[in-house]
Amino acid sequence: MIKTALKSLFLIVLTIPVIGMCQTEITLNDIHLSSKFRPKGVSGFQSLKDGESYCKFVTNAAEERELIRFSFENNENLGVIFKDSDIKGVDGNTIKYQSFEFSSDEKLILLTTQIENIYRHSFRAIYYVYDPATKVTTKIADDKIRYASISPDNKYVAYVLDNNLFYSDLKTGKRVQITKDGKKNSIINGAVDWVYEEEFSMSVGFEWSPNSDKIAFYRFDETEVPEFTMPVYGGLYPKQETWKYPKAGEKNSVVDVYVFNTKSFNLVKCLLGSENDQYLPRIKWTKDNNILAVQRLNRHQNHWELLFVLSETGDATVVQEDKSKYYVEIKENLTFLEDKASFIYSSEKDGYKHLYTYNFVKNKEVQITNGNWDVTSFYGINEKSGVVYYSSSEVSATERHLYMIKSNGKSKKKLTAGEGFHTITFNKGLNYYLENYSSMNRAPEYSLHRSDGEQLQILEDNTEFMSTMDEYELPEAEFLQLTTEDDVTLNYWMIKPPNFNKKKKYPLLMYVYGGPGINTVNNRWGGHYMWYQMLAQKGYVIVSVDATGTGYRGEEFKKKTYLQLGNYESRDQIASAKYFGNLKYIDSERIGIWGWSYGGYMSSLCLAKGNDVFKMGIAVAPVTNWRYYDNIYTERFMRTPQENAEGYDTNSPINHVEKIKGNYLIVHGTADDNVHFQNAVEMVDAMIEKNIAFDSEYYPNKNHSIYGGLTRLHLFTRLTKYIEENL
């Protein structure tokens, strides 16, 4: 092993050009310990209720932050809403808050402090309510609570404490306990279980009705869900952290939805079929204060239903459904209209993700958008003009652009220009928007626009930041396409070394994620861009390819991997590596691949199945056996192991270790609640059994993101050295 490493290092010295004298060297310290490579944003930006103004944080002459209201139209300063020193406790000391949120009428401000993470997304904290009119700050509870939410009428604040749901009167402080059966790893009221949080991207499990007289909330019964335990190190005896984690094929929580009436104190159970093995991934009040909308999915997640529930009786009626031979995604953009008879939602029913208006009174549906591209975001409809605003992948799966269109599907107009990503934030009335525009080679520019696209002003152009970047003479990322031996056209980006010479041979590092619907070939600023530029300075060509199964190219391209995760994705990555290896300037004997999470799964699988192509592979926090991962995610694409054992086993890296020939580094956090450390342990154990060489790195008490303190610096130092020594 020592001789091999020395030989590789000798080859690197011979073949990698030295950075030019005029070019500034990128360092890991600059990337991870300083703000040098962090462009400016627009801190605290929010559109305000009047539709004509917005707010953002501004640092004043005394170096204190102030939240100031500005006019959309002319950027006139309309006054300070509050400044940091206004937020004081009963002892008169300034309270340091991490985030803020306006009440519905913007008369009160909810402040979050002393955040304590539970899992990757959920947390508990100390909350305060600040009244800008009186400059009084009120502490909601002495305990750390979860998901504090002010009622629309500003009278109450609801929250979760010890798995029970409460609400308090903001004037008197009187607290009402709605549920009493909450218990860790047993019953959850007002919040959601681990797998809902992770895979349905939700944490808050309750919602106030429009009139503030009702609270709809979830109740999770986790009793029958299997437990997972992991050690947390630090004391003489490690602490054992235990929680409910349903792996593929295992039992789920029994989920119910209830409605509590704050006037009558009545508690009504919604009749949603909790006795069935199903999911209820969203609840939302309609425009009718007495009707709650609930989204329901069967366990296979190929049949979606929207139910209307009468809050007084709990009776439920199915008003719309969506089916697929693969799987159906939940409707994040479900929007109820003021006519109280219609809603807008999205579906892939015609092969691409498009917007539809459905009138449930007349049972009439109209398709708003149409074409061989996907809607990526829906921003709303101006019901007076009938204009709908959305973003899509119509230009390219690598870009996002804003469009306006009539609700009847006519008069479509593209509002954004310039290659790259245009991320949009509309105001309350849909007559102004903030545009965050960037490309992979260009830091974000933030500008305000009228809803017809006319630019009003630039809030931040990051000119100073880009001037700093010019000192590094960064080579631009190129966006290109290749066609595999299976005749599949794939998008990719490539970063070449500075002073690139096409007559030389360069080692190649491929970055992969590859999970269903997730793209890495995005023409936007961010990610590990500066690390890739640093590696390019060291003489590496860096590429990333969006293979079969990635998003924004229609349902068939994305869902072709159904029941066989890893098959087409690995074929495409290996075929792409061969394509690059045939380029005159790529050294086909020095091709490596790395990825994180699903990307770690892919890099492990590709190193094994493509053992004649890849010299090196790095897997960070990888799934190594689909049987170890949670059921909502895995079964969405694979069904259960009982139904599809071959699909689970055929492309799990743990079953291919004997094929690995190249250098392999596996990295994992021991406190990963998402992709358990078990994946790395079992993979390493299988490699030992087959006498396959490997390298490993573990991070004590770190979760799936592997961060905190100097952790990221240590991690990327390890990755960089491994690449330099083995590629």
Side-chain angles (χ1 to χ4, degrees), residues 121-143:
H121 311 290
S122 57
F123 63 90
R124 57 179 64 90
I126 297 293
Y127 287 88
Y128 295 85
V129 173
Y130 175 71
D131 185 340
T134 62
K135 294 192 175 183
V136 172
T137 305
T138 304
K139 191 177 187 180
I140 295 174
D142 291 330
D143 303 287

PDB file of all heavy atoms in Angstrom, residues 121-143:
ATOM      1  N   HIS A 121     -33.998  18.481  11.613  1.00  0.00           N
ATOM      2  CA  HIS A 121     -34.867  19.614  11.281  1.00  0.00           C
ATOM      3  C   HIS A 121     -35.645  20.129  12.492  1.00  0.00           C
ATOM      4  O   HIS A 121     -35.903  21.325  12.599  1.00  0.00           O
ATOM      5  CB  HIS A 121     -35.835  19.218  10.164  1.00  0.00           C
ATOM      6  CG  HIS A 121     -35.178  18.552   8.995  1.00  0.00           C
ATOM      7  ND1 HIS A 121     -34.344  19.237   8.130  1.00  0.00           N
ATOM      8  CD2 HIS A 121     -35.184  17.271   8.560  1.00  0.00           C
ATOM      9  CE1 HIS A 121     -33.880  18.394   7.206  1.00  0.00           C
ATOM     10  NE2 HIS A 121     -34.376  17.205   7.450  1.00  0.00           N
ATOM     11  N   SER A 122     -36.044  19.256  13.364  1.00  0.00           N
ATOM     12  CA  SER A 122     -36.870  19.656  14.499  1.00  0.00           C
ATOM     13  C   SER A 122     -36.016  20.229  15.631  1.00  0.00           C
ATOM     14  O   SER A 122     -34.828  19.937  15.743  1.00  0.00           O
ATOM     15  CB  SER A 122     -37.678  18.464  15.005  1.00  0.00           C
ATOM     16  OG  SER A 122     -36.820  17.389  15.349  1.00  0.00           O
ATOM     17  N   PHE A 123     -36.665  21.027  16.468  1.00  0.00           N
ATOM     18  CA  PHE A 123     -35.956  21.647  17.590  1.00  0.00           C
ATOM     19  C   PHE A 123     -36.953  22.086  18.654  1.00  0.00           C
ATOM     20  O   PHE A 123     -38.160  22.153  18.420  1.00  0.00           O
ATOM     21  CB  PHE A 123     -35.149  22.858  17.115  1.00  0.00           C
ATOM     22  CG  PHE A 123     -35.993  23.973  16.542  1.00  0.00           C
ATOM     23  CD1 PHE A 123     -36.485  24.980  17.366  1.00  0.00           C
ATOM     24  CD2 PHE A 123     -36.311  24.015  15.186  1.00  0.00           C
ATOM     25  CE1 PHE A 123     -37.276  26.006  16.857  1.00  0.00           C
ATOM     26  CE2 PHE A 123     -37.091  25.035  14.663  1.00  0.00           C
ATOM     27  CZ  PHE A 123     -37.575  26.032  15.501  1.00  0.00           C
ATOM     28  N   ARG A 124     -36.428  22.351  19.817  1.00  0.00           N
ATOM     29  CA  ARG A 124     -37.188  23.027  20.872  1.00  0.00           C
ATOM     30  C   ARG A 124     -36.435  24.303  21.229  1.00  0.00           C
ATOM     31  O   ARG A 124     -35.226  24.400  21.000  1.00  0.00           O
ATOM     32  CB  ARG A 124     -37.379  22.123  22.098  1.00  0.00           C
ATOM     33  CG  ARG A 124     -36.108  21.606  22.699  1.00  0.00           C
ATOM     34  CD  ARG A 124     -36.389  20.740  23.929  1.00  0.00           C
ATOM     35  NE  ARG A 124     -37.136  19.543  23.592  1.00  0.00           N
ATOM     36  CZ  ARG A 124     -36.569  18.377  23.247  1.00  0.00           C
ATOM     37  NH1 ARG A 124     -35.243  18.263  23.196  1.00  0.00           N
ATOM     38  NH2 ARG A 124     -37.304  17.337  22.975  1.00  0.00           N
ATOM     39  N   ALA A 125     -37.152  25.277  21.785  1.00  0.00           N
ATOM     40  CA  ALA A 125     -36.519  26.577  22.022  1.00  0.00           C
ATOM     41  C   ALA A 125     -37.307  27.371  23.051  1.00  0.00           C
ATOM     42  O   ALA A 125     -38.425  27.000  23.427  1.00  0.00           O
ATOM     43  CB  ALA A 125     -36.433  27.356  20.711  1.00  0.00           C
ATOM     44  N   ILE A 126     -36.710  28.462  23.495  1.00  0.00           N
ATOM     45  CA  ILE A 126     -37.412  29.457  24.298  1.00  0.00           C
ATOM     46  C   ILE A 126     -37.981  30.493  23.323  1.00  0.00           C
ATOM     47  O   ILE A 126     -37.256  31.007  22.461  1.00  0.00           O
ATOM     48  CB  ILE A 126     -36.481  30.139  25.309  1.00  0.00           C
ATOM     49  CG1 ILE A 126     -35.951  29.113  26.322  1.00  0.00           C
ATOM     50  CG2 ILE A 126     -37.194  31.283  26.018  1.00  0.00           C
ATOM     51  CD1 ILE A 126     -37.007  28.532  27.239  1.00  0.00           C
ATOM     52  N   TYR A 127     -39.265  30.773  23.451  1.00  0.00           N
ATOM     53  CA  TYR A 127     -39.936  31.707  22.545  1.00  0.00           C
ATOM     54  C   TYR A 127     -40.405  32.959  23.295  1.00  0.00           C
ATOM     55  O   TYR A 127     -40.798  32.892  24.466  1.00  0.00           O
ATOM     56  CB  TYR A 127     -41.168  31.057  21.911  1.00  0.00           C
ATOM     57  CG  TYR A 127     -40.870  30.014  20.853  1.00  0.00           C
ATOM     58  CD1 TYR A 127     -40.684  28.689  21.204  1.00  0.00           C
ATOM     59  CD2 TYR A 127     -40.825  30.363  19.504  1.00  0.00           C
ATOM     60  CE1 TYR A 127     -40.443  27.721  20.236  1.00  0.00           C
ATOM     61  CE2 TYR A 127     -40.588  29.406  18.525  1.00  0.00           C
ATOM     62  CZ  TYR A 127     -40.398  28.089  18.900  1.00  0.00           C
ATOM     63  OH  TYR A 127     -40.166  27.133  17.936  1.00  0.00           O
ATOM     64  N   TYR A 128     -40.381  34.077  22.570  1.00  0.00           N
ATOM     65  CA  TYR A 128     -40.907  35.348  23.074  1.00  0.00           C
ATOM     66  C   TYR A 128     -41.836  35.953  22.029  1.00  0.00           C
ATOM     67  O   TYR A 128     -41.684  35.705  20.824  1.00  0.00           O
ATOM     68  CB  TYR A 128     -39.780  36.352  23.353  1.00  0.00           C
ATOM     69  CG  TYR A 128     -38.833  35.957  24.459  1.00  0.00           C
ATOM     70  CD1 TYR A 128     -37.748  35.125  24.201  1.00  0.00           C
ATOM     71  CD2 TYR A 128     -39.017  36.438  25.760  1.00  0.00           C
ATOM     72  CE1 TYR A 128     -36.865  34.774  25.217  1.00  0.00           C
ATOM     73  CE2 TYR A 128     -38.134  36.096  26.782  1.00  0.00           C
ATOM     74  CZ  TYR A 128     -37.062  35.260  26.497  1.00  0.00           C
ATOM     75  OH  TYR A 128     -36.191  34.912  27.500  1.00  0.00           O
ATOM     76  N   VAL A 129     -42.769  36.768  22.502  1.00  0.00           N
ATOM     77  CA  VAL A 129     -43.598  37.580  21.612  1.00  0.00           C
ATOM     78  C   VAL A 129     -43.270  39.043  21.882  1.00  0.00           C
ATOM     79  O   VAL A 129     -43.326  39.500  23.032  1.00  0.00           O
ATOM     80  CB  VAL A 129     -45.102  37.312  21.836  1.00  0.00           C
ATOM     81  CG1 VAL A 129     -45.936  38.307  21.025  1.00  0.00           C
ATOM     82  CG2 VAL A 129     -45.456  35.886  21.447  1.00  0.00           C
ATOM     83  N   TYR A 130     -42.922  39.746  20.808  1.00  0.00           N
ATOM     84  CA  TYR A 130     -42.579  41.166  20.926  1.00  0.00           C
ATOM     85  C   TYR A 130     -43.664  42.009  20.266  1.00  0.00           C
ATOM     86  O   TYR A 130     -44.093  41.729  19.141  1.00  0.00           O
ATOM     87  CB  TYR A 130     -41.232  41.435  20.261  1.00  0.00           C
ATOM     88  CG  TYR A 130     -40.856  42.901  20.220  1.00  0.00           C
ATOM     89  CD1 TYR A 130     -40.499  43.579  21.383  1.00  0.00           C
ATOM     90  CD2 TYR A 130     -40.867  43.607  19.015  1.00  0.00           C
ATOM     91  CE1 TYR A 130     -40.154  44.919  21.356  1.00  0.00           C
ATOM     92  CE2 TYR A 130     -40.520  44.949  18.969  1.00  0.00           C
ATOM     93  CZ  TYR A 130     -40.170  45.602  20.149  1.00  0.00           C
ATOM     94  OH  TYR A 130     -39.839  46.928  20.115  1.00  0.00           O
ATOM     95  N   ASP A 131     -44.103  43.047  20.977  1.00  0.00           N
ATOM     96  CA  ASP A 131     -45.112  43.979  20.466  1.00  0.00           C
ATOM     97  C   ASP A 131     -44.409  45.293  20.109  1.00  0.00           C
ATOM     98  O   ASP A 131     -44.016  46.055  20.998  1.00  0.00           O
ATOM     99  CB  ASP A 131     -46.179  44.220  21.532  1.00  0.00           C
ATOM    100  CG  ASP A 131     -47.333  45.077  21.021  1.00  0.00           C
ATOM    101  OD1 ASP A 131     -47.146  45.779  20.003  1.00  0.00           O
ATOM    102  OD2 ASP A 131     -48.409  45.042  21.638  1.00  0.00           O
ATOM    103  N   PRO A 132     -44.217  45.587  18.805  1.00  0.00           N
ATOM    104  CA  PRO A 132     -43.517  46.816  18.411  1.00  0.00           C
ATOM    105  C   PRO A 132     -44.220  48.085  18.881  1.00  0.00           C
ATOM    106  O   PRO A 132     -43.565  49.109  19.106  1.00  0.00           O
ATOM    107  CB  PRO A 132     -43.500  46.733  16.876  1.00  0.00           C
ATOM    108  CG  PRO A 132     -43.661  45.277  16.567  1.00  0.00           C
ATOM    109  CD  PRO A 132     -44.562  44.746  17.634  1.00  0.00           C
ATOM    110  N   ALA A 133     -45.547  48.025  19.051  1.00  0.00           N
ATOM    111  CA  ALA A 133     -46.285  49.223  19.458  1.00  0.00           C
ATOM    112  C   ALA A 133     -45.973  49.603  20.902  1.00  0.00           C
ATOM    113  O   ALA A 133     -45.801  50.784  21.227  1.00  0.00           O
ATOM    114  CB  ALA A 133     -47.784  48.997  19.285  1.00  0.00           C
ATOM    115  N   THR A 134     -45.898  48.606  21.773  1.00  0.00           N
ATOM    116  CA  THR A 134     -45.652  48.869  23.192  1.00  0.00           C
ATOM    117  C   THR A 134     -44.200  48.612  23.588  1.00  0.00           C
ATOM    118  O   THR A 134     -43.792  48.962  24.704  1.00  0.00           O
ATOM    119  CB  THR A 134     -46.549  47.984  24.063  1.00  0.00           C
ATOM    120  OG1 THR A 134     -46.227  46.601  23.822  1.00  0.00           O
ATOM    121  CG2 THR A 134     -48.018  48.219  23.733  1.00  0.00           C
ATOM    122  N   LYS A 135     -43.456  47.983  22.675  1.00  0.00           N
ATOM    123  CA  LYS A 135     -42.067  47.573  22.924  1.00  0.00           C
ATOM    124  C   LYS A 135     -41.948  46.643  24.130  1.00  0.00           C
ATOM    125  O   LYS A 135     -40.963  46.652  24.862  1.00  0.00           O
ATOM    126  CB  LYS A 135     -41.155  48.795  23.090  1.00  0.00           C
ATOM    127  CG  LYS A 135     -41.011  49.615  21.816  1.00  0.00           C
ATOM    128  CD  LYS A 135     -39.902  50.626  21.919  1.00  0.00           C
ATOM    129  CE  LYS A 135     -39.709  51.346  20.574  1.00  0.00           C
ATOM    130  NZ  LYS A 135     -38.581  52.299  20.611  1.00  0.00           N
ATOM    131  N   VAL A 136     -42.975  45.828  24.311  1.00  0.00           N
ATOM    132  CA  VAL A 136     -42.995  44.852  25.395  1.00  0.00           C
ATOM    133  C   VAL A 136     -42.676  43.470  24.833  1.00  0.00           C
ATOM    134  O   VAL A 136     -43.241  43.045  23.817  1.00  0.00           O
ATOM    135  CB  VAL A 136     -44.367  44.830  26.100  1.00  0.00           C
ATOM    136  CG1 VAL A 136     -44.435  43.676  27.104  1.00  0.00           C
ATOM    137  CG2 VAL A 136     -44.624  46.154  26.796  1.00  0.00           C
ATOM    138  N   THR A 137     -41.761  42.769  25.512  1.00  0.00           N
ATOM    139  CA  THR A 137     -41.394  41.409  25.129  1.00  0.00           C
ATOM    140  C   THR A 137     -41.943  40.443  26.172  1.00  0.00           C
ATOM    141  O   THR A 137     -41.676  40.605  27.373  1.00  0.00           O
ATOM    142  CB  THR A 137     -39.863  41.246  25.033  1.00  0.00           C
ATOM    143  OG1 THR A 137     -39.345  42.224  24.129  1.00  0.00           O
ATOM    144  CG2 THR A 137     -39.497  39.863  24.545  1.00  0.00           C
ATOM    145  N   THR A 138     -42.702  39.447  25.726  1.00  0.00           N
ATOM    146  CA  THR A 138     -43.340  38.497  26.631  1.00  0.00           C
ATOM    147  C   THR A 138     -42.817  37.091  26.380  1.00  0.00           C
ATOM    148  O   THR A 138     -42.843  36.610  25.241  1.00  0.00           O
ATOM    149  CB  THR A 138     -44.873  38.501  26.449  1.00  0.00           C
ATOM    150  OG1 THR A 138     -45.367  39.829  26.625  1.00  0.00           O
ATOM    151  CG2 THR A 138     -45.539  37.562  27.429  1.00  0.00           C
ATOM    152  N   LYS A 139     -42.368  36.464  27.429  1.00  0.00           N
ATOM    153  CA  LYS A 139     -41.904  35.076  27.339  1.00  0.00           C
ATOM    154  C   LYS A 139     -43.115  34.151  27.344  1.00  0.00           C
ATOM    155  O   LYS A 139     -44.001  34.282  28.190  1.00  0.00           O
ATOM    156  CB  LYS A 139     -40.983  34.761  28.517  1.00  0.00           C
ATOM    157  CG  LYS A 139     -40.218  33.459  28.410  1.00  0.00           C
ATOM    158  CD  LYS A 139     -39.296  33.312  29.622  1.00  0.00           C
ATOM    159  CE  LYS A 139     -38.375  32.126  29.491  1.00  0.00           C
ATOM    160  NZ  LYS A 139     -37.483  32.006  30.679  1.00  0.00           N
ATOM    161  N   ILE A 140     -43.148  33.204  26.400  1.00  0.00           N
ATOM    162  CA  ILE A 140     -44.312  32.336  26.291  1.00  0.00           C
ATOM    163  C   ILE A 140     -44.334  31.284  27.387  1.00  0.00           C
ATOM    164  O   ILE A 140     -45.366  31.010  27.996  1.00  0.00           O
ATOM    165  CB  ILE A 140     -44.345  31.666  24.900  1.00  0.00           C
ATOM    166  CG1 ILE A 140     -44.551  32.730  23.817  1.00  0.00           C
ATOM    167  CG2 ILE A 140     -45.442  30.617  24.827  1.00  0.00           C
ATOM    168  CD1 ILE A 140     -44.467  32.204  22.421  1.00  0.00           C
ATOM    169  N   ALA A 141     -43.190  30.659  27.629  1.00  0.00           N
ATOM    170  CA  ALA A 141     -43.111  29.616  28.658  1.00  0.00           C
ATOM    171  C   ALA A 141     -41.681  29.534  29.164  1.00  0.00           C
ATOM    172  O   ALA A 141     -40.734  29.862  28.447  1.00  0.00           O
ATOM    173  CB  ALA A 141     -43.564  28.272  28.097  1.00  0.00           C
ATOM    174  N   ASP A 142     -41.539  29.098  30.412  1.00  0.00           N
ATOM    175  CA  ASP A 142     -40.198  28.927  30.969  1.00  0.00           C
ATOM    176  C   ASP A 142     -39.506  27.699  30.388  1.00  0.00           C
ATOM    177  O   ASP A 142     -38.283  27.630  30.355  1.00  0.00           O
ATOM    178  CB  ASP A 142     -40.269  28.803  32.496  1.00  0.00           C
ATOM    179  CG  ASP A 142     -40.679  30.114  33.161  1.00  0.00           C
ATOM    180  OD1 ASP A 142     -40.359  31.178  32.597  1.00  0.00           O
ATOM    181  OD2 ASP A 142     -41.335  30.062  34.215  1.00  0.00           O
ATOM    182  N   ASP A 143     -40.317  26.727  29.966  1.00  0.00           N
ATOM    183  CA  ASP A 143     -39.768  25.514  29.362  1.00  0.00           C
ATOM    184  C   ASP A 143     -39.384  25.761  27.909  1.00  0.00           C
ATOM    185  O   ASP A 143     -39.931  26.656  27.248  1.00  0.00           O
ATOM    186  CB  ASP A 143     -40.812  24.387  29.395  1.00  0.00           C
ATOM    187  CG  ASP A 143     -41.304  24.090  30.787  1.00  0.00           C
ATOM    188  OD1 ASP A 143     -40.540  23.496  31.555  1.00  0.00           O
ATOM    189  OD2 ASP A 143     -42.466  24.458  31.092  1.00  0.00           O
TER     190      ASP A 143
END
